[in-house]
Amino acid sequence: MLGTGMRRGEILALHWSDVHLMDRKLYTRWTLAAIDNGKTHLREPKTEASRAWISLSPRVTTALHRQAALQMPAHPDARLEGLVFARPGGTPLRPQWVLDQLRKRTAELDLPKIGLHDLRHTAASIMIAENIPLAVVSKTLRHSTLATTINLYGHLFKDSADQAVQALASALDRAQARQLRAVPRGDDDLPIAA
């Protein structure tokens, strides 16, 4: 989740048939929904924007290769099928169990207590901190609109307004300087030297 910005339900519903490791891409076709954290079922994502191809970094590709190696012994024909992350019998993991495991592991490492969706927010925050254009962040997170991304992460751009007006002032200063250089000097009608 941290390496892709995917939602919890999308990760838990990911099928091997939608993972294309050679192309370093995967397709989000399903989401796992839990009713009262009990019964789970697969459904299509809520929005058209959520059904999309997701690029995979080498780090995420390596993690998926490790997951494939763990599951391969259960598939004698050497063909991975079903869910990427599942119980031994192939049934979906319960979201609460995954959250419990995350909290257990973060406690072991003396890290702050976080939720699964916090991993998605962290991915977004890292992309923004690395100056990835907001439109690209929005597309990567598969938000239905850019406004959604701005509403959720606009607070991370507190210095952006200062940078924006400074860039505007610099551009206007350069334009004014060019104009002044082009203004005639006295009677000889020659432009002012730069």
Side-chain angles (χ1 to χ4, degrees):
M1 290 176 68
L2 186 58
T4 61
M6 291 176 70
R7 297 171 181 94
R8 174 191 71 184
E10 295 167 343
I11 289 286
L12 295 179
L14 183 61
H15 285 72
W16 282 114
S17 58
D18 293 323
V19 176
H20 303 270
L21 292 174
M22 296 300 287
D23 297 327
R24 290 190 13 217
K25 300 222 180 286
L26 62 81
Y27 189 74
T28 306
R29 187 180 315 274
W30 302 103
T31 188
L32 183 75
I35 302 170
D36 297 327
N37 199 35
K39 186 175 180 174
T40 57
H41 68 278
L42 294 178
R43 66 172 193 211
E44 289 188 5
K46 291 180 185 176
T47 67
E48 188 62 37
S50 293
R51 287 182 288 276
W53 287 98
I54 296 174
S55 293
L56 303 174
S57 69
R59 174 182 290 270
V60 172
T61 303
T62 299
L64 287 168
H65 276 292
R66 280 195 309 265
Q67 183 66 15
L70 290 172
Q71 288 187 6
M72 197 63 79
H75 299 275
D77 59 355
R79 182 165 183 235
L80 290 172
E81 295 176 344
L83 295 169
V84 174
F85 303 102
R87 295 182 200 179
T91 58
L93 297 172
R94 285 185 309 99
Q96 184 61 48
W97 181 85
V98 176
L99 175 60
D100 293 342
Q101 293 302 305
L102 173 65
R103 290 200 171 144
K104 178 182 171 188
R105 303 256 186 318
T106 55
E108 289 169 356
L109 297 170
D110 200 28
L111 294 172
K113 185 177 177 180
I114 62 171
L116 290 168
H117 201 69
D118 294 332
L119 297 173
R120 178 173 165 84
H121 289 308
T122 301
S125 299
I126 291 170
M127 286 186 274
I128 291 167
E130 291 294 319
N131 296 316
I132 302 301
L134 191 57
V136 175
V137 173
S138 184
K139 189 79 168 166
T140 302
L141 297 174
R142 290 159 296 104
H143 286 151
S144 56
T145 66
L146 185 58
T148 300
T149 311
I150 292 169
N151 288 339
L152 290 171
Y153 302 106
H155 66 282
L156 297 177
F157 293 96
K158 59 183 174 227
D159 296 332
S160 296
D162 293 340
Q163 294 169 352
V165 295
Q166 190 58 42
L168 179 59
S170 296
L172 292 173
D173 289 346
R174 286 191 306 273
Q176 184 178 21
R178 281 193 302 273
Q179 183 182 18
L180 290 174
R181 286 191 302 269
V183 172
R185 285 190 298 156
D187 295 330
D188 58 5
D189 214 23
L190 294 172
I192 297 172

